[in-house]
Amino acid sequence: MKAVLFPTDFSKNSVNAIHYAVALLKDQPCKFYFLNVQKASSFLSDDMMVVSSSATVYKTLVDAAKTSIENIILKLKQKFKNEEHQFFSIVDYDNFTDAIQQCVVKHHIDLIVMGTKGASGLQKVLFGSNTVRVINRCTTPLLAIPSGCKYQKLKKIAFTANHIELYTTKTLATLSNILKSYQAKLTILHLADSNTIAHKRADNMTFLETHFPDAAHEYIDVVDKDIVDTISTYMKDQNFNMLAMVKKPHSFLERLVHSYTEEKIAYGFDLPFLVLTNPES
């Protein structure tokens, strides 16, 4: 049974991502964990200052969050009616990414699902979203759903291959499972730039041809090009339903200076974006 984590702030964008994911997994046995993380600033709001004790404040916040989660769960049960779907409510008072990491470990989470609002400019991309922070810190596959994106049956998935690291069956397991579940067609987009390592490209080609023998291959030269615009235009022209990419281990400085990163690409698309991770990195 797949375990899926929904970090939520109850925003329209967050709830949309939840509905997309449950629709995606509507025929599969799943445990869905809904996580709301309270911030310290919540305790200082004007509305809460009238409450007599911090314990009462905390209980008030937790009860309100649990009620909001239960409302979401009720609507999901009414819409999808899958008896093999189990729903769990979690409210935490912690650092956002730490709370997610704890849930991942405790509940053996297979996939994190979050919404993205979209942004422009490097500062907003790097610092403006909890989704970006989770992408950077977590080692569990994450599915990012753009605002307003509605579920459509998966028919065509693109996977970007940059050949900086070697791929493994564990790294691509989530992608493989999605392809098998939906009989979707895979296109591998080979990104040729100065970071490509020749011998790893050769090894990866052998790996990909062995594990995805039916995949189509396209080659994109990204030197002196905006990688986001290039891939986005290609995917829209070819009617793709999802983009997948393996997260590369970047330092903070590298994330600032690289011409393309997972963060930029995640915000540059209006399609679901699957971030895969290397468990051994």
Side-chain angles (χ1 to χ4, degrees):
M1 181 173 285
K2 185 179 293 294
V4 181
L5 178 63
F6 295 133
T8 180
D9 58 2
F10 311 120
S11 64
K12 182 178 179 180
N13 183 54
S14 171
V15 173
N16 178 69
I18 291 170
H19 277 260
Y20 180 99
V22 177
L24 178 70
L25 300 166
K26 62 184 178 66
D27 297 321
Q28 299 186 29
C30 293
K31 291 182 178 180
F32 295 116
Y33 294 88
F34 297 77
L35 170 66
N36 176 255
V37 182
Q38 296 293 328
K39 297 182 294 185
S41 59
S42 300
F43 284 77
L44 303 177
S45 67
D46 292 338
D47 292 338
M48 290 300 180
M49 291 300 289
V50 299
V51 182
S52 58
S53 69
S54 60
T56 305
V57 173
Y58 180 75
K59 185 178 186 305
T60 301
L61 291 172
V62 169
D63 288 348
K66 286 187 175 180
T67 297
S68 296
I69 293 175
E70 290 304 320
N71 288 336
I72 295 173
I73 292 174
L74 178 61
K75 291 179 181 179
L76 292 172
K77 287 181 176 180
Q78 291 173 340
K79 182 176 181 179
F80 295 102
K81 299 176 181 176
N82 186 333
E83 294 183 358
E84 292 188 293
H85 282 177
Q86 299 178 24
F87 302 91
F88 303 91
S89 172
I90 304 169
V91 180
D92 199 355
Y93 174 61
D94 201 347
N95 173 277
F96 185 76
T97 50
D98 288 346
I100 290 177
Q101 288 282 51
Q102 290 168 13
C103 282
V104 165
V105 173
K106 182 177 180 180
H107 302 291
H108 307 287
I109 298 298
D110 301 299
L111 180 68
I112 301 169
V113 178
M114 298 182 68
T116 61
K117 296 179 180 178
S120 60
L122 184 61
Q123 184 176 3
K124 289 183 179 180
V125 168
L126 287 176
F127 303 110
S129 168
N130 279 327
T131 306
V132 170
R133 286 189 279 273
V134 177
I135 288 174
N136 285 336
R137 289 190 56 187
C138 291
T139 57
T140 300
L142 182 144
L143 180 60
I145 307 298
S147 178
C149 180
K150 302 302 179 183
Y151 173 72
Q152 295 180 334
K153 183 178 179 181
L154 296 182
K155 295 181 179 180
K156 297 180 66 177
I157 299 174
F159 171 70
T160 61
N162 50 39
H163 306 302
I164 297 173
E165 288 192 318
L166 294 177
Y167 299 128
T168 67
T169 53
K170 285 185 178 180
T171 301
L172 302 185
T174 301
L175 176 61
S176 297
N177 291 336
I178 290 175
L179 291 169
K180 291 176 182 178
S181 296
Y182 301 96
Q183 301 298 306
K185 294 182 179 179
L186 177 67
T187 296
I188 300 172
L189 306 180
H190 299 272
L191 308 182
D193 73 346
S194 58
N195 292 314
T196 296
I197 301 174
H199 75 273
K200 290 187 177 180
R201 177 171 182 167
D203 290 341
N204 277 340
M205 283 297 298
T206 300
F207 175 89
L208 294 169
E209 288 172 355
T210 300
H211 290 81
F212 303 102
D214 298 325
H217 295 262
E218 295 287 341
Y219 297 83
I220 299 177
D221 183 0
V222 299
V223 178
D224 298 326
K225 290 183 180 179
D226 187 319
I227 185 62
V228 173
D229 287 343
T230 300
I231 298 179
S232 180
T233 299
Y234 174 83
M235 292 189 66
K236 289 177 181 178
D237 289 345
Q238 300 297 322
N239 297 314
F240 280 91
N241 304 116
M242 180 180 289
L243 173 69
M245 174 182 286
V246 175
K247 182 176 71 173
K248 302 181 296 297
H250 291 317
S251 68
F252 179 77
L253 178 61
E254 286 174 322
R255 290 202 305 275
L256 285 174
V257 302
H258 266 235
S259 60
Y260 62 92
T261 64
E262 294 86 358
E263 295 93 327
K264 282 189 178 182
I265 291 176
Y267 278 112
F269 291 97
D270 54 7
L271 293 172
F273 179 63
L274 178 63
V275 182
L276 304 168
T277 58
N278 184 351
E280 299 177 359
S281 289

